[in-house]
Amino acid sequence: VNTMDSMIGYKNYKYLYFGRFAAKLDDVVNFIPARIGGCLMVVSAGIAQLAEKCNTKDKTNSHYSIWNAWKIFKSDRKKHSSPNAAQTESACAGALKVALSGDNYYFGKLVHKPQIGEAIRPLEAGDIGRSNILLYIILSKNARTFLYMQKKFTCRAVRKRLLDFCV
């Protein structure tokens, strides 16, 4: 669905209705996962903040902020034309204490878009690695949860629980 949206979801005359269907379907399918992803990004900011404070000599200055991630997630997640696009972007911008998005060029035309986040500090090359760290924290937590759920709800265990419930 997401690939269909990115391939034909443009607002041109030839594919207007077909593209609009793909875009709306993508919005519906990703509505809940986008919000879960934003919340997980806020949590990962807290984990990264704690890890950075434990592993550096400077305990007062951190590149991450869970409180700023939550604040920007709540205030800026709706600053995009797509209802799902800025969910994780706003949490990441807040977590890193930077401003993202803004004006951009599409097919040679300048498109004015709102800025997401507050520029508490300027963007730097290291922010790419820091955003990857936030992503890896989310992935590791999801992998652990999946493995726990897989162990907890194997076919045999589910079958046994269903039989216990029915009897």
Side-chain angles (χ1 to χ4, degrees):
V1 173
N2 189 271
T3 303
M4 185 170 64
D5 178 30
S6 64
M7 290 178 67
I8 61 170
Y10 297 108
K11 297 175 183 174
N12 63 21
Y13 183 74
K14 186 176 180 182
Y15 298 110
L16 181 65
Y17 295 109
F18 192 59
R20 187 175 291 156
F21 172 76
K24 295 299 179 189
L25 183 62
D26 181 57
D27 291 346
V28 169
V29 169
N30 290 309
F31 188 82
I32 293 172
R35 279 137 189 86
I36 292 171
C39 291
L40 289 173
M41 184 71 73
V42 171
V43 171
S44 71
I47 295 168
Q49 184 179 4
L50 286 173
E52 188 177 50
K53 283 187 179 181
C54 291
N55 295 321
T56 59
K57 292 179 182 177
D58 184 11
K59 304 291 185 197
T60 59
N61 194 12
S62 176
H63 290 98
Y64 304 98
S65 171
I66 187 172
W67 305 116
N68 199 51
W70 180 249
K71 181 179 100 174
I72 299 299
F73 173 67
K74 292 294 285 176
S75 65
D76 290 5
R77 64 188 172 149
K78 295 180 181 176
K79 285 187 175 181
H80 201 282
S81 59
S82 170
N84 302 327
Q87 300 292 323
T88 52
E89 185 180 354
S90 61
C92 185
L96 297 175
K97 302 186 239 178
V98 297
L100 298 173
S101 201
D103 296 344
N104 208 341
Y105 285 91
Y106 294 96
F107 305 108
K109 286 179 59 177
L110 177 64
V111 177
H112 298 285
K113 292 185 174 186
Q115 181 176 296
I116 295 174
E118 297 173 358
I120 296 172
R121 62 177 190 78
L123 276 169
E124 52 190 52
D127 290 329
I128 296 170
R130 291 182 196 104
S131 63
N132 286 337
I133 288 171
L134 294 173
L135 177 65
Y136 291 141
I137 291 170
I138 292 170
L139 291 175
S140 69
K141 292 295 176 196
N142 284 343
R144 283 189 211 137
T145 303
F146 175 75
L147 291 173
Y148 173 76
M149 296 297 281
Q150 186 180 15
K151 184 178 177 183
K152 191 85 169 158
F153 297 106
T154 60
C155 290
R156 184 177 294 150
V158 170
R159 200 175 316 119
K160 184 179 180 322
R161 286 192 182 116
L162 284 173
L163 287 173
D164 290 346
F165 178 75
C166 294
V167 174

